[in-house]
Amino acid sequence: MPDVALWRRLLAEFLGTGLLVSVVVGSGVMATTLSPDDVGLQLVENSLATALALGVLILVFAPISGAHFNPVVTAVAWLTAKRTTPLADAGAYVAVQIVGGIAGAVLANLVFDQPAVAWSTTERAAGHLWLGEVVATAGLVLVIFALVRAGRTAAIPAAVGAYIGAAYWFTSSTSFANPAVTIGRAFTDTFAGIAPTSVPAFVLAQLVGAGLGLGIVLLLHPRRVAQPIPTTTELSRNPR
């Protein structure tokens, strides 16, 4: 999407990431309000809202920015596109994703009459949780870029939404799988929060998972894609 101005792409990434985090946090607050004594039902409500919203957000913003909403997706897109996109553009994507994630958490806090910033006290620091993040992120990268390389980009919104919704349940970490979302969730002391001290290890696990997922993609689809950063829409025209 080189014909789309960079500032528009960055705005789309900011809004998309912010709205995603707002949905994750807001649906978590609503779930604990509606089902205060049933943690399983809370997770159903939180995961369903996130899965549906993620699919919609990708559909809305993909024509503008590629709808990455995730620094590891941007990094893998840059690497698999033979780095034809300027590194500064990729860095700008990551920066606005992180800022958008924080803004989304603040927005959700305000919508539910919470303090604008309330550092999470939910510690998520254990080896099995980090392993869960490795698995969740590797799977996300595999889903996106296997579909990209197979020329089936139209399936990405539904596939990514379905995968994240399922990964809430089959990973011990409930599948953050996104450094920007992880950082944003540190700003809310609600159901979806993560203590700031737990963030670095989660992000490191996500980076490891992204590398693992990329390795699997390259084994399955060895031909590289020569496209600029917004892969999810451009590649539908020229998948190989």
Side-chain angles (χ1 to χ4, degrees), residues 24-175:
V24 171
V25 173
S27 63
V29 175
M30 183 63 80
T32 55
T33 301
L34 297 177
S35 311
D37 301 316
D38 192 333
V39 176
L41 186 54
Q42 292 169 10
L43 192 59
V44 169
E45 295 158 349
N46 191 209
S47 62
L48 181 61
T50 301
L52 293 174
L54 182 54
V56 170
L57 290 171
I58 294 172
L59 283 170
V60 170
F61 291 109
I64 303 168
S65 69
H68 296 184
F69 312 149
N70 187 333
V72 300
V73 173
T74 296
V76 173
W78 183 75
L79 288 169
T80 57
K82 296 184 178 179
R83 295 169 289 283
T84 54
T85 296
L87 182 59
D89 287 10
Y93 263 51
V94 171
V96 298
Q97 289 159 358
I98 292 172
V99 174
I102 295 170
V106 171
L107 176 61
N109 287 339
L110 294 174
V111 165
F112 285 93
D113 198 26
Q114 305 285 326
V117 174
W119 299 111
S120 177
T121 56
T122 303
E123 295 287 341
R124 302 178 190 261
H128 68 285
L129 299 179
W130 303 330
L131 178 59
E133 280 301 288
V134 171
V135 171
T137 311
L140 178 62
V141 169
L142 175 60
V143 167
I144 294 171
F145 291 94
L147 289 172
V148 165
R149 291 203 163 203
R152 302 185 61 190
T153 54
I156 287 177
V160 171
Y163 174 79
I164 290 297
Y168 262 79
W169 291 90
F170 71 75
T171 63
S172 56
S173 62
T174 65
S175 184

Side-chain angles (χ1 to χ4, degrees), residues 10-22 68-72 74 90-106 119 178-187 199 203 206-207:
L10 296 180
L11 178 59
E13 287 296 300
F14 172 82
L15 292 173
T17 312
L19 289 170
L20 174 59
V21 173
S22 186
H68 296 184
F69 312 149
N70 187 333
V72 300
T74 296
Y93 263 51
V94 171
V96 298
Q97 289 159 358
I98 292 172
V99 174
I102 295 170
V106 171
W119 299 111
N178 185 330
V181 169
T182 303
I183 293 169
R185 288 169 70 163
F187 286 74
V199 168
V203 171
Q206 290 156 1
L207 295 176

